[in-house]
Amino acid sequence: MASSDLAIVAEGLRKKYGDKAALDGVDLKVPRGAVCGLLGPNGAGKTTIVRILATLQRFDEGRAEVAGFDVVGQAAQVKYRIGLVGQNPAVDEILGGRQNLVMFGKLYRLGAHAARRRADELLEQFGLAEVGDKAVNTYSGGMRRRLDLAAGMILAPAVLFLDEPTVGLDPRGRNEVWQAVRELARQGTTVLLTTQYLDEADQLADQISVLDAGRVIAEDAPEQLKARIGGGRIDLVVHDSAELGRAASTVEGVVGGTAELDEDNRKVSVRLTDRASSLPEVIRALDAAGVTTEDIGLRRPTLDEVFLQLTGRRPESADAADASKKSERPKKGKKAKNKAGQETETATAVAQEVNA
């Protein structure tokens, strides 16, 4: 792929904090208009990559370009072409949604009229026009994050960085953010998304890069990553736990491999190599063996299984990820605060640096 077709290029990025290597030779290429998901456990280097690409942090070795500009030598040009939505809210809870966006517009050096016009456009685009004059502290979690996305889109950036955009949101809020991201991608914005929610990456990403210990250990489209671990699994639930052994040996005899047993849930699970033909054969064999099943089905591989195979551990639960993110946040007083006393995030930092 020609370099002109790439929105993000990173080669050999290295970054240390003391003796700890946060990044240990990261290579990353994201085509223009694509959504790239960065997956990895806490400490894998996801946020460090975002901060480097957004010109908020220097690296020790390597090179990086965003929207065709070097993030070090041409940082000012990069800043005018990116948006950034961080883990913590960047908006002022006391101000209304429209007031927040006008404020961001002025930080980006838009005139008063242009800032108001852009705020109205974004409120409409993100489905917030009807609540634009209401205080943000009356918004739901999903509405606040959509307003955060809108703030990151003030300059209609070519590249948008989303760092754990749905941490702490309920399912409805997550779906609202997902829909907003899909629409941005449809309009041609390149999105780099860091997340610990594998279903989020599966829903949104055109390509996925899996990080572990500061390195990219796998990179491909979601379906191709899943295909690496086989054709799927047959899961079945027997009527009586006494039939587990017979069910397992029957399925193994048809598809090969080793069955995994879950005695508490009376479940047998076997990985397949041939998804097309195995299920009917298994059903006939179980019937012939006199095994009564309450449920049986063919399940595709999941990104959770890919993650487990690549890293040797399962991804954190949503609750654990949320708690970990809270524990990582700097103590109050380390960042500038908005009028509601909350810590502002990196979108504000980018706007202020553009204005400098």
Side-chain angles (χ1 to χ4, degrees), residues 56-169:
L56 296 175
Q57 191 167 342
R58 292 295 184 97
F59 48 90
D60 300 326
E61 297 179 28
R63 61 178 291 270
E65 291 184 359
V66 174
F69 296 93
D70 185 87
V71 300
V72 176
Q74 299 170 301
Q77 291 94 323
V78 171
K79 290 169 187 172
Y80 273 106
R81 290 165 175 80
I82 65 172
L84 175 58
V85 178
Q87 298 167 10
N88 301 325
V91 295
D92 191 308
E93 295 276 324
I94 294 177
L95 297 178
R98 180 174 284 100
Q99 290 175 306
N100 266 284
L101 295 180
V102 169
M103 176 183 69
F104 273 96
K106 291 179 178 178
L107 283 172
Y108 279 109
R109 292 183 176 179
L110 296 181
H113 178 71
R116 288 194 297 271
R117 183 177 67 248
R118 184 58 176 154
D120 288 341
E121 292 172 353
L122 290 168
L123 289 171
E124 186 68 34
Q125 179 178 348
F126 286 90
L128 297 170
E130 293 185 0
V131 296
D133 293 322
K134 293 184 178 180
V136 174
N137 58 21
T138 66
Y139 287 15
S140 68
M143 292 164 66
R144 293 182 193 187
R145 292 307 274 168
R146 279 187 281 149
L147 185 63
D148 265 335
L149 284 172
M153 294 294 294
I154 290 291
L155 294 183
V159 179
L160 180 64
F161 299 107
L162 302 180
D163 192 14
E164 307 280 4
T166 61
V167 166
L169 294 185

Side-chain angles (χ1 to χ4, degrees), residues 20-267:
K20 179 178 173 55
L23 301 181
D24 190 19
V26 167
D27 295 323
L28 184 67
K29 293 182 179 180
V30 182
R32 295 182 186 275
V35 179
C36 175
L38 289 183
L39 300 183
N42 280 332
K46 302 186 301 296
T47 296
T48 299
I49 291 175
V50 168
R51 292 184 63 82
I52 286 172
L53 295 174
T55 76
L56 296 175
Q57 191 167 342
R58 292 295 184 97
F59 48 90
D60 300 326
E61 297 179 28
R63 61 178 291 270
E65 291 184 359
V66 174
F69 296 93
D70 185 87
V71 300
V72 176
Q74 299 170 301
Q77 291 94 323
V78 171
K79 290 169 187 172
Y80 273 106
R81 290 165 175 80
I82 65 172
L84 175 58
V85 178
Q87 298 167 10
N88 301 325
V91 295
D92 191 308
E93 295 276 324
I94 294 177
L95 297 178
R98 180 174 284 100
Q99 290 175 306
N100 266 284
L101 295 180
V102 169
M103 176 183 69
F104 273 96
K106 291 179 178 178
L107 283 172
Y108 279 109
R109 292 183 176 179
L110 296 181
H113 178 71
R116 288 194 297 271
R117 183 177 67 248
R118 184 58 176 154
D120 288 341
E121 292 172 353
L122 290 168
L123 289 171
E124 186 68 34
Q125 179 178 348
F126 286 90
L128 297 170
E130 293 185 0
V131 296
D133 293 322
K134 293 184 178 180
V136 174
N137 58 21
T138 66
Y139 287 15
S140 68
M143 292 164 66
R144 293 182 193 187
R145 292 307 274 168
R146 279 187 281 149
L147 185 63
D148 265 335
L149 284 172
M153 294 294 294
I154 290 291
L155 294 183
V159 179
L160 180 64
F161 299 107
L162 302 180
D163 192 14
E164 307 280 4
T166 61
V167 166
L169 294 185
D170 61 21
R172 179 177 178 180
R174 294 180 72 202
N175 283 329
E176 289 176 352
V177 173
W178 289 357
Q179 186 57 41
V181 173
R182 291 189 187 101
E183 182 61 22
L184 291 175
R186 188 188 67 79
Q187 295 174 4
T189 300
T190 303
V191 179
L192 183 66
L193 165 76
T194 77
T195 182
Q196 292 191 57
Y197 300 129
L198 274 68
D199 60 330
E200 183 162 271
D202 208 0
Q203 286 279 338
L204 299 176
D206 301 305
Q207 72 177 63
I208 288 174
S209 294
V210 182
L211 278 76
D212 196 23
R215 288 180 171 272
V216 175
I217 59 175
E219 188 174 42
D220 214 329
E223 291 305 315
Q224 276 63 52
L225 285 176
K226 295 174 191 176
R228 294 186 187 186
I229 66 172
R233 303 179 74 89
I234 284 182
D235 290 337
L236 65 94
V237 178
V238 298
H239 178 71
D240 189 333
S241 57
E243 297 179 298
L244 273 173
R246 184 153 39 103
S249 60
T250 300
V251 177
E252 288 175 345
V254 175
V255 303
T258 302
E260 299 175 11
L261 304 184
D262 181 348
E263 295 184 3
D264 292 336
N265 295 303
R266 309 188 311 280
K267 181 179 177 181

Side-chain angles (χ1 to χ4, degrees), residues 283-331:
I283 292 173
R284 288 193 292 269
L286 289 169
D287 185 57
V291 176
T292 304
T293 61
E294 292 185 351
D295 185 38
I296 185 169
L298 180 62
R299 180 169 59 79
R300 298 170 59 204
T302 66
L303 283 180
D304 294 68
E305 291 168 329
V306 173
F307 192 95
L308 175 62
Q309 186 178 79
L310 291 172
T311 68
R313 55 189 180 277
R314 294 191 180 278
E316 294 185 69
S317 67
D319 290 342
D322 292 349
S324 178
K325 286 298 171 188
K326 291 176 182 177
S327 68
E328 288 180 353
R329 292 172 185 165
K331 294 181 180 179

